[in-house]
Amino acid sequence: MGLVIVVRLFSLQVLNTKYSIMADEQGKFRKVVYPDRGILFDRRGKAILRNTIIYDLMVTPGKLKGLNLDTLSLCHILKIDTSEFRKRIITAIIKNRSYRPSVFESSLSPDMIARINESMYKFVPAFYLQERPVRDYPYDAAGNILGYLSEVDSNFLKRHESEGYQMGDYAGKTGLERSYEKVLMGQRGIEYWKRDNKNRLTDRLENGRFDTAAIAGENLHLALDIDLQKLGEHLMENKIGAIVAIDPHTGGVLAMVNSPTYKPSLLTGAERRKHFAEILLDPRLPMLSRSINATYAPGSTFKTLQALIGLQEGVITPSTTFTCSGAFYGCGKPMRCLDIGTFNLKQAITVSDNTYFANVMQRTINNPAIGSVRKALEVWDTYMYGFGLGHKLGIDMPSEKGGKIPTPATYDKMYGKDHWNFCTFRSVSIGQGEVDVTPLQIANEMAYLANKGWYITPHMVDSIDGGDQFGLLDSFKLRHRALDIPDSIFESVHDGMQGVMERGTGAAAKVPGVVVCGKTGTVENSYKGVKQKDHAVFAAFAPRRNPKIAIAVICENAGFGASSSAPIASLMIEQYLNDSIAGPERKAKVETIAKMNLMPPRIYQLIKQQDSIRHAKDTSYLQEKGYIKRAKDTIGIEDEDNTETLEKLKSTKNSSTTANKDSIPLQNEKKIDKKQSEALLPEKQKNTDTIKNRQ
């Protein structure tokens, strides 16, 4: 008997490794250590995005086999039922295999963590708590700039299979979190722990000899001024539009306000999924970065560039005059102007005379020195591309749009090869028609004017701790000077822009003690073929000598630029240059503008169309109609599996069946046609003949 026992023990312990592996697995625990993501600092060294710690409950489905798990106890703690428990286990197996850990419940609340810890001995080894650093927002601002993190799914892993991600990891999905993911993420570490007979962690295995230390992500230093950003978001409350402010000398973005926006803290923590669904389905599209992802006709801000081209091409001089008797008649059918009189260049910029700039572009396109209308338009295009229009600028933010500058090919497609002339597109001369720009491009245009002929690609990040090992900042060190235009020409345009602020359409937006060069704009637009109230646009740089800020402000459907966008820019300029808003009158103006409700009526119509009773509970409806995908495509975020997110939303609306129809929540769409996601972006205005373009 003794010999039999010895042989059996030898077989189990030496020849057969199965039980050795099981004992080893039971006695130790491999813990992934997630590194702190890099911290983001604003231009003054203030931390605007940092880390805090949360805990996820992880499950390895394969370890449930043969385990007498107290399922009811765990379900009670997590406030779910047994069917939901089974669904999550099956989902984890499908997405990540049975032998790999998956997130069972993310971002546990402190109360839930305490209750799970108290009963953890009942759930091991299949379940364990995973410590994870998540984002913390000291200022709760700049949501569209910072972006958000989300757990990677199978679609993400396929798109980024060579980058070392695995299920359970988090990655940046939008904003700077996405653009600088490889810098911010750091490197995971591994710790090996011993377990006792109750599966509790005790000591490090062999004093940590086999551990791998986690390496924190690198910190980013931004050009952003968080105080200026907060002011801009406050001023743009109850409005749809954008503000972009740039340092002309460096190209650093000082503020990038998208309105409406969202508080970034809503997309972290235990309520993240619920808030994500609510924000995503909001008809106002708060996740849309309008500053770089929406395009608008530039309106009369475009006249400054027309003046540069006319002067450089020699078709006008600063003293050239044109007379407006009520309209531009150069193409037969009149194009109205609201300033009667005879104006030279400075005066024309100051009063924003349509007739003057229609004549300037007509002379440019019909210039006999060039030879043909087609060739002249190509020359005009070259100038516009040199100014930074008609192409992406290359900002370090995802989903930037390039806008549109019409070319001969544009009009060949519309009218037939060479069956067009200046009169075909005369509205382009005043920034309407087939011209689309982003707010970023307008601000960059002001930086170009301020620098008298050059700009640096606008960017959010100035430097990276530890060096730029991936070369992400290389393109932000180069000056772009595609055109050779003398300083004297810029001075002539600056004279007119200064006149705008001193006695023209921007006079009400003066900044005390600062010489500002500005230009207002009023942009015609339509929605589904129905003319809407004009967009209000204002662009400027300041001070005139040694400019420190270039800015563009757009308020959709807000009327004259002088009544809304210009005062907003005025306050932003003052805040940046002086670090404060001086005097009770100016401070009161901040609150007056912030309370000004300029939300377009069409937005309220979209909200009222939503049916909270029927479709808040119908995830399949939203998926089938494609609203989720269109919203994501418009916003510019990578597609991911949001079924669970929308189910969470559904469950939160079960009590809404008695909701008042006048207070319908924003999450639900009653009827969505194929152009619904375009509703918040301006329609491209084609062939506008009669322009109400008084700025």
Side-chain angles (χ1 to χ4, degrees):
M1 288 294 295
L3 181 61
V4 169
I5 292 172
V6 169
V7 171
R8 183 58 177 158
L9 288 174
F10 179 80
S11 174
L12 290 175
Q13 296 184 27
V14 179
L15 300 180
N16 193 330
T17 60
K18 173 183 176 182
Y19 296 100
S20 173
I21 293 172
M22 290 178 63
D24 191 45
E25 179 68 20
Q26 185 72 16
K28 70 179 182 181
F29 174 72
R30 180 181 182 272
K31 179 182 179 182
V32 177
V33 181
Y34 287 94
D36 286 343
R37 285 179 71 87
I39 299 172
L40 273 63
F41 298 93
D42 86 336
R43 62 186 298 271
R44 301 178 188 274
K46 298 177 181 177
I48 59 176
L49 179 56
R50 58 193 183 189
N51 299 299
T52 188
I53 298 298
I54 58 128
Y55 288 86
D56 293 339
L57 182 62
M58 308 293 290
V59 63
T60 306
K63 293 184 178 181
L64 289 169
K65 188 176 181 180
L67 181 66
N68 187 23
L69 180 70
D70 189 348
T71 305
L72 289 178
S73 176
L74 182 58
C75 289
H76 178 71
I77 293 173
L78 298 178
K79 299 179 182 178
I80 61 175
D81 55 27
T82 52
S83 62
E84 174 66 15
F85 178 91
R86 287 192 294 271
K87 176 184 173 183
R88 293 188 186 186
I89 295 298
I90 293 171
T91 300
I93 294 172
I94 293 172
K95 286 185 175 182
N96 203 26
R97 308 292 178 87
S98 63
Y99 55 85
R100 292 177 178 164
S102 298
V103 177
F104 188 81
E105 178 80 14
S106 64
S107 304
L108 299 173
S109 66
D111 176 66
M112 202 172 285
I113 292 170
R115 296 177 65 189
I116 289 176
N117 265 326
E118 184 180 342
S119 305
M120 182 56 79
Y121 68 93
K122 300 179 183 179
F123 313 133
V124 292
F127 288 89
Y128 67 91
L129 289 175
Q130 175 69 61
E131 181 182 287
R132 187 188 304 278
V134 295
R135 294 314 220 176
D136 177 50
Y137 304 89
Y139 294 91
D140 216 5
N144 299 89
I145 295 173
L146 302 176
Y148 70 91
L149 300 177
S150 179
E151 183 186 352
V152 302
D153 59 14
S154 56
N155 292 331
F156 184 95
L157 292 176
K158 289 176 183 177
R159 288 192 296 267
H160 305 276
E161 60 181 352
S162 63
E163 299 175 26
Y165 292 99
Q166 57 189 28
M167 291 300 292
D169 288 351
Y170 281 65
K173 292 300 179 75
T174 60
L176 295 177
E177 293 276 29
R178 176 72 255 158
S179 297
Y180 289 89
E181 167 69 14
K182 64 173 74 174
V183 174
L184 293 169
M185 66 180 293
Q187 296 181 27
R188 291 183 295 268
I190 302 294
E191 292 178 355
Y192 294 93
W193 290 76
K194 295 178 182 178
R195 279 178 168 152
D196 63 14
N197 61 343
K198 292 187 177 180
N199 282 302
R200 294 173 299 195
L201 301 183
T202 55
D203 302 312
R204 295 281 185 87
L205 185 65
E206 296 198 20
N207 294 320
R209 186 160 67 93
F210 302 110
D211 293 354
T212 303
I215 301 175
E218 300 290 354
N219 300 330
L220 304 182
H221 297 268
L222 278 56
L224 188 77
D225 186 317
I226 192 61
D227 294 325
L228 188 66
Q229 178 74 22
K230 286 180 62 181
L231 174 64
E233 292 186 8
H234 183 49
L235 291 169
M236 289 296 288
E237 290 176 7
N238 304 308
K239 304 166 188 69
I240 287 184
I243 304 172
V244 179
I246 298 173
D247 182 338
H249 295 303
T250 67
V253 176
L254 305 172
M256 182 180 284
V257 176
N258 301 282
S259 182
T261 186
Y262 64 93
K263 293 183 176 181
S265 61
L266 294 176
L267 297 186
T268 188
E271 296 291 300
R272 176 198 170 275
R273 290 175 177 172
K274 171 190 170 185
H275 293 149
F276 180 81
E278 291 172 347
I279 293 170
L280 183 64
L281 299 178
D282 187 332
R284 298 169 299 175
L285 293 181
M287 293 186 74
L288 175 65
S289 294
R290 288 177 169 83
S291 52
I292 59 173
N293 198 240
T295 58
Y296 306 83
S300 290
T301 60
F302 203 60
K303 294 173 181 175
T304 57
L305 303 183
Q306 298 282 33
L308 288 179
I309 297 173
L311 291 169
Q312 178 68 2
E313 286 297 300
V315 298
I316 61 168
T317 68
S319 59
T320 300
T321 61
F322 294 103
T323 299
C324 175
S325 59
F328 169 71
Y329 295 98
C331 293
K333 187 176 180 181
M335 184 171 71
R336 192 158 60 108
C337 63
L338 300 180
D339 298 284
I340 310 301
T342 300
F343 308 104
N344 61 25
L345 177 63
K346 178 181 177 180
Q347 294 164 339
I349 295 175
T350 297
V351 302
S352 195
D353 182 63
N354 288 346
T355 295
Y356 192 98
F357 293 97
N359 276 290
V360 171
M361 189 173 184
Q362 185 178 41
R363 287 191 176 188
T364 301
I365 297 300
N366 295 334
N367 188 353
I370 296 178
S372 71
V373 170
R374 187 181 194 89
K375 182 63 176 177
L377 183 58
E378 290 175 351
V379 170
W380 183 86
D381 288 335
T382 300
Y383 279 103
M384 289 299 168
Y385 296 148
F387 298 150
L389 305 183
H391 59 87
K392 295 179 182 179
L393 289 169
I395 189 172
D396 49 349
M397 293 278 289
S399 304
E400 180 194 2
K401 286 191 175 179
K404 187 178 74 171
I405 291 295
T407 66
T410 303
Y411 295 119
D412 285 347
K413 185 176 181 180
M414 293 174 65
Y415 303 107
K417 186 172 176 59
D418 293 331
H419 288 178
W420 45 269
N421 55 36
F422 166 73
C423 292
T424 309
F425 53 83
R426 60 181 182 170
S427 58
V428 169
S429 64
I430 54 174
Q432 295 275 176
E434 296 75 37
V435 181
D436 280 326
V437 297
T438 63
L440 175 68
Q441 288 174 325
I442 299 178
N444 189 64
E445 169 195 329
M446 291 297 111
Y448 178 87
L449 288 167
N451 293 331
K452 297 180 182 177
W454 60 269
Y455 69 88
I456 294 175
T457 300
H459 55 276
M460 304 300 308
V461 176
D462 277 341
S463 64
I464 303 172
D465 282 355
D468 182 18
Q469 59 178 315
F470 299 107
L472 299 176
L473 308 182
D474 288 349
S475 62
F476 308 139
K477 300 172 184 176
L478 306 174
R479 288 188 179 188
H480 298 275
R481 188 189 287 271
L483 307 166
D484 186 16
I485 300 176
D487 286 0
S488 59
I489 288 180
F490 285 97
E491 288 292 346
S492 297
V493 175
H494 292 182
D495 287 342
M497 296 176 71
Q498 184 175 338
V500 169
M501 304 304 295
E502 292 179 347
R503 56 190 175 279
T505 52
K510 292 179 181 178
V511 179
V514 180
V515 177
V516 179
C517 291
K519 189 71 191 75
T520 54
T522 305
V523 179
E524 288 196 347
N525 64 98
S526 65
Y527 170 59
K528 292 186 176 180
V530 178
K531 189 180 185 305
Q532 304 292 302
K533 190 175 181 180
D534 297 334
H535 296 326
V537 184
F538 182 80
F541 64 86
R544 177 172 178 175
R545 307 300 176 192
N546 190 25
K548 292 181 172 60
I549 182 172
I551 190 168
V553 181
I554 292 180
C555 292
E556 292 188 22
N557 307 121
F560 293 131
S563 62
S564 54
S565 295
I568 290 173
S570 172
L571 292 164
M572 293 284 285
I573 292 171
E574 180 179 355
Q575 170 66 37
Y576 180 70
L577 295 180
N578 301 333
D579 289 329
S580 64
I581 303 296
E585 183 178 344
R586 296 285 286 177
K587 290 178 180 177
K589 193 174 187 67
V590 170
E591 299 308 316
T592 299
I593 292 176
K595 293 175 183 177
M596 188 185 300
N597 191 339
L598 299 176
M599 193 68 66
R602 71 175 185 275
I603 299 301
Y604 292 113
Q605 290 178 338
L606 289 173
I607 294 173
K608 288 180 181 179
Q609 286 175 1
Q610 294 188 344
D611 185 342
S612 63
I613 297 175
R614 225 178 65 173
H615 296 313
K617 303 176 183 179
D618 190 0
T619 300
S620 61
Y621 175 87
L622 296 169
Q623 298 282 13
E624 177 188 348
K625 295 300 182 182
Y627 183 68
I628 299 298
K629 186 177 187 307
R630 284 199 304 275
K632 286 184 176 183
D633 290 344
T634 302
I635 292 166
I637 61 177
E638 290 186 343
D639 194 25
E640 56 184 302
D641 183 2
N642 282 292
T643 302
E644 185 177 359
T645 297
L646 293 171
E647 289 291 351
K648 288 277 186 182
L649 173 64
K650 165 183 164 183
S651 67
T652 65
K653 294 300 173 185
N654 285 337
S655 61
S656 67
T657 54
T658 59
N660 188 304
K661 291 184 178 180
D662 292 329
S663 58
I664 296 176
L666 302 180
Q667 296 91 322
N668 318 293
E669 190 70 26
K670 183 175 181 180
K671 184 177 181 181
I672 308 162
D673 65 22
K674 66 181 181 180
K675 291 187 177 180
Q676 183 73 36
S677 66
E678 300 171 4
L680 303 183
L681 299 179
E683 290 279 321
K684 295 174 182 175
Q685 189 73 9
K686 307 291 186 184
N687 301 322
T688 306
D689 286 328
T690 304
I691 307 295
K692 189 182 79 175
N693 203 45
R694 173 68 181 267
Q695 286 74 28

